[in-house]
Amino acid sequence: MSDSRRSDHSVRDLLRELFPDTHRELFGDEATPTSAPTLGLYPVADGRLALVHGDQLAEFTPLDPRGRNALHCDLCHFTRSRSEAGVYRVRVGARRTRYVTLCLNSPACQKRAGVHGLQHLAERIFPVEPSFIDDH
């Protein structure tokens, strides 16, 4: 399966999708392009990952490895050893948490999964509910 769409996005694209007010302040009210929304899993500090889908963002926090058994990646559906995969926790609500197993080599995993796999993972995670009463 070949994906002809670009998988990398410019800072301007991410600003437009994640911070639309800031994008308007910096670049004005230009017409929104008809391209597909950003979809990807990006590394963040301290081994965390961020799943971005359009204007939605979820942060995956790695858990300490326990056990010796192999893990099945929820994104690419390959079975990996403990040295190649990890378990991540993501808050999806005030009292709701999901646990996801992902390959540690995120770019290769995303390539194996393709856009369809990323969309399926995003459907399991989003929408993330507000964590506090004031988050409306």
Side-chain angles (χ1 to χ4, degrees):
M1 180 167 82
S2 174
D3 186 13
S4 60
R5 288 189 286 182
R6 291 181 47 185
S7 62
D8 56 329
H9 299 279
S10 71
V11 172
R12 190 171 178 166
D13 292 338
L14 291 173
L15 265 176
R16 180 181 50 251
E17 292 182 29
L18 297 175
F19 307 102
D21 292 334
T22 303
H23 183 269
R24 272 194 285 297
E25 287 176 17
L26 294 174
F27 303 109
D29 287 329
E30 63 185 41
T32 304
T34 59
S35 64
T38 302
L39 176 62
L41 196 58
Y42 302 97
V44 192
D46 303 330
R48 292 176 288 157
L49 297 171
L51 178 63
V52 179
H53 186 239
D55 62 347
Q56 301 177 91
L57 175 72
E59 187 175 292
F60 293 75
T61 305
L63 300 177
D64 291 331
R66 295 180 188 212
R68 299 176 312 176
N69 297 338
L71 298 171
H72 182 80
C73 179
D74 291 319
L75 180 57
C76 71
H77 298 287
F78 277 57
T79 300
R80 298 286 180 198
S81 70
R82 284 286 179 165
S83 64
E84 299 174 311
V87 178
Y88 293 84
R89 175 179 46 227
V90 59
R91 289 188 67 181
V92 295
R95 294 186 180 181
R96 290 184 7 173
T97 302
R98 297 216 178 182
Y99 294 90
V100 179
T101 304
L102 297 170
C103 295
L104 298 177
N105 185 355
S106 194
C109 180
Q110 287 183 69
K111 188 175 181 180
R112 283 189 299 273
V115 175
H116 179 70
L118 280 167
Q119 286 174 339
H120 183 68
L121 180 64
E123 289 171 1
R124 289 181 53 202
I125 301 300
F126 296 118
V128 175
E129 298 170 359
S131 297
F132 302 102
I133 296 172
D134 295 339
D135 291 346
H136 292 281

